[in-house]
Amino acid sequence: MPELPEVETIARALRDGGRDEPSIIGKTVSEARVYWKRTLSEPRVPVFKKRIIGQSIKDVKRRGKFVIMHFHSEYLLFHLRMSGDLKVEANLDEQGHKIPAQKHDRLILEFSDGMRLAFNDTRKFGRAWLVKDPQTILGDLGPEPLDPALTPEVFYKMLTSCSRQMKPLLLDQKFLAGLGNIYADEALHLAKLHPMLNSIDISSEQAKVLLKSIRSVLREGIKRNGASIDWVYRGGDFQNHFQVYQCMGEPCPVCGTPIQRIVIGQRSTHFCPVCQPEPKKS
DNA sequence: CCTGAAACCTGTCTGC
DNA sequence: TGCAGACAGGTTTCAG
């Protein structure tokens, strides 16, 4: 699931309630269960239980691709990686019996009101941290793309103060927090920049257009509640609006040229060879 | 500093 | 039907 718009969608549903799930704000943890040990990065399971049971949730936020749950004296952070999902569901059936964990549930927080929060993650790449200070985990993240403090001038400086291929650079969370493979490809296409263009060669005008493009595709993703692909479906429909991602061979919506797929930094990359011309070698 | 490859995992799809 | 291989929204670590 998870790039910035998908994580934002999940965080909002947890905070405000979703279509068929209630908000978790105010709920109190009565029990915690960990089914896959490596899912919990820190602390160890017994300490985790001791520290989180009895605490209630004050707020839910997002930073980059992290979901942040603020408890009274703790922060519980989740990174969904490739296949993670967080949902609120019933913990007890009508007779008051515990409903068994679902397939691929890795961590469950039971609440005192009969509901539970389930972290479900098919591929087991997702991670959770319980920390006093979230900065120990989030400290290295780059700026939020939608933060107004990130001006075109600042962004231009960020781009030209390193020498990196554009695609991997946009995926680097230390550079900018929240972009993933879908939105990076879509933003580069909208900005008409080749994914292998060197960041040091970018003009201030191109930087400005790119920032605008990044914000545009992210806002569109959030508006559509993210993209739903494969077995993970949360009602988002941005997948029906991809211009280049997973569109190899289909005509570019701008010029009609077949979209190409190449691999950069081990990630599949989709672009229009005409709209996003190959940079000249320097 | 920068790039590429491997590793961590399970599931789906394609082609032979 | 079976089986091998490619591929999937991400990140870390290591080699060159």
Side-chain angles (χ1 to χ4, degrees):
Chain A
M1 284 211 74
E3 296 180 45
L4 188 154
E6 290 74 31
V7 179
E8 179 69 25
T9 300
I10 289 170
R12 283 184 186 179
L14 294 172
R15 187 182 63 229
D16 307 327
R19 185 158 278 269
D20 41 32
E21 23 175 71
S23 164
I24 57 170
I25 306 290
K27 292 191 188 299
T28 303
V29 178
S30 54
E31 180 61 277
R33 312 200 296 256
V34 178
Y35 297 93
W36 182 255
K37 229 177 152 189
R38 300 187 63 172
T39 295
L40 185 60
S41 273
E42 68 166 282
R44 294 180 176 284
V45 176
V47 179
F48 175 72
K49 288 192 180 199
K50 198 173 173 184
R51 274 167 51 184
I52 204 164
I53 290 172
Q55 296 229 24
S56 56
I57 301 171
K58 285 170 71 175
D59 200 5
V60 182
K61 290 179 183 161
R62 176 195 62 75
R63 170 79 169 99
K65 301 176 191 172
F66 288 82
V67 175
I68 306 167
M69 295 179 193
H70 186 185
F71 290 76
H72 279 274
S73 60
E74 303 276 358
Y75 289 87
L76 180 59
L77 310 186
F78 286 96
H79 195 302
L80 279 38
R81 296 280 176 94
M82 294 289 265
S83 58
D85 195 9
L86 285 164
K87 36 194 172 182
V88 187
E89 58 195 22
N91 189 42
L92 305 174
D93 63 18
E94 263 103 74
Q95 282 76 44
H97 300 307
K98 246 176 221 184
I99 298 168
Q102 296 188 27
K103 195 171 185 186
H104 308 311
D105 278 351
R106 308 303 178 196
L107 187 155
I108 285 178
L109 295 185
E110 298 182 11
F111 298 124
S112 54
D113 66 353
M115 302 295 290
R116 70 187 182 203
L117 175 76
F119 179 59
N120 186 281
D121 182 25
T122 305
R123 293 177 68 180
K124 298 177 175 171
F125 289 162
R127 293 290 180 268
W129 301 258
L130 184 68
V131 292
K132 305 280 186 194
D133 177 11
Q135 282 308 108
T136 59
I137 309 298
L138 306 174
D140 287 338
L141 286 180
E144 281 291 317
L146 297 175
D147 184 347
L150 179 60
T151 63
E153 293 74 32
V154 171
F155 192 51
Y156 176 61
K157 265 194 193 129
M158 287 164 55
L159 286 164
T160 52
S161 59
C162 60
S163 177
R164 307 267 304 271
Q165 299 171 327
M166 284 308 300
K167 175 68 185 286
L169 182 58
L170 292 183
L171 294 181
D172 184 347
Q173 303 298 297
K174 295 194 217 37
F175 177 76
L176 195 63
L179 282 187
N181 214 27
I182 296 175
Y183 295 90
D185 279 5
E186 295 295 325
L188 286 171
H189 177 257
L190 189 56
K192 298 194 189 307
L193 297 177
H194 192 281
M196 290 184 91
L197 176 66
N198 192 311
S199 63
I200 209 168
D201 294 328
I202 213 161
S203 71
S204 61
E205 181 59 26
Q206 286 175 318
K208 189 176 161 186
V209 171
L210 177 58
L211 181 58
K212 205 177 156 189
S213 301
I214 289 168
R215 288 175 168 165
S216 169
V217 297
L218 290 177
R219 288 210 184 92
E220 182 76 2
I222 291 170
K223 189 176 133 197
R224 299 188 179 282
N225 294 318
S228 310
I229 304 182
D230 298 338
W231 64 92
V232 185
Y233 182 73
R234 288 185 74 89
D237 74 334
F238 187 68
Q239 70 280 8
N240 300 318
H241 300 269
F242 294 161
Q243 305 289 294
V244 290
Y245 184 76
Q246 286 185 344
C247 295
M248 181 172 60
E250 292 170 37
C252 168
V254 175
C255 74
T257 307
I259 297 301
Q260 285 186 13
R261 177 187 175 278
I262 58 175
V263 174
I264 308 173
Q266 294 180 304
R267 308 305 301 279
S268 77
T269 299
H270 313 75
F271 72 105
C272 169
V274 172
C275 293
Q276 302 164 265
E278 185 128 15
K280 286 175 195 165
K281 282 180 190 169
S282 56

